[in-house]
Structures are given as structure tokens and as C-alpha cells.
Amino acid sequence: YSNTIPRETFFVASQHANLPTDVTICTQLTVDRLDRLIQMTRVWSGPISAAIYVKVHTPPLSLLPPLSLLLPP
């Protein structure tokens, strides 16, 4: 389709095993709300599934500093 927006998948997996009783928070956000996702990771110990919508013209490297905060130390 000529009107299809290109997309790229970036996936970060948890280092912890999921339990059958875990509750997963699912959310979607834009890049300007990354600070809220980072805050969520500080208060929620369960799994989180997040879709981050990025404008086509956003340089990928500009996203790395905030996304690196989501990775385990």
C-alpha cells in the first residue's frame, strides 16, 4: 500500500521469569511521554508492555538516552 507508514520494532525483554499470577500493564504512548513510562517502571514491579509511537522523521538515535533508562542496570 502506498499510504502505509513504515514501522520499526524495538523490543526489550525482562530478565525476570514471568509468573502465572503476574498482571501485565499494557500502555501506548508517544515519545513526549517517555518520562511517564520511566516513572511507571520505578513503581510497578510486574511486567509492562508498551507501544511507543514515533513520528517518521524522528532520528532513531535521539530516542536512545530515554530508552536506555528502561533497561536493567
Side-chain angles (χ1 to χ4, degrees), residues 25 33-48 65-73:
I25 289 182
R33 305 288 185 168
L34 273 178
D35 58 323
R36 294 182 184 191
L37 178 61
I38 292 166
Q39 180 61 30
M40 186 186 303
T41 65
R42 293 183 180 139
V43 297
W44 180 256
S45 60
I48 299 173
L67 288 177
S68 67
L69 296 172
L70 300 174
L71 300 173

Side-chain angles (χ1 to χ4, degrees), residues 25-38 40 48-55 67 70:
I25 289 182
C26 298
T27 188
Q28 61 185 21
L29 60 145
T30 54
V31 175
D32 62 324
R33 305 288 185 168
L34 273 178
D35 58 323
R36 294 182 184 191
L37 178 61
I38 292 166
M40 186 186 303
I48 299 173
S49 178
I52 304 170
Y53 295 96
V54 180
K55 292 181 181 177
L67 288 177
L70 300 174

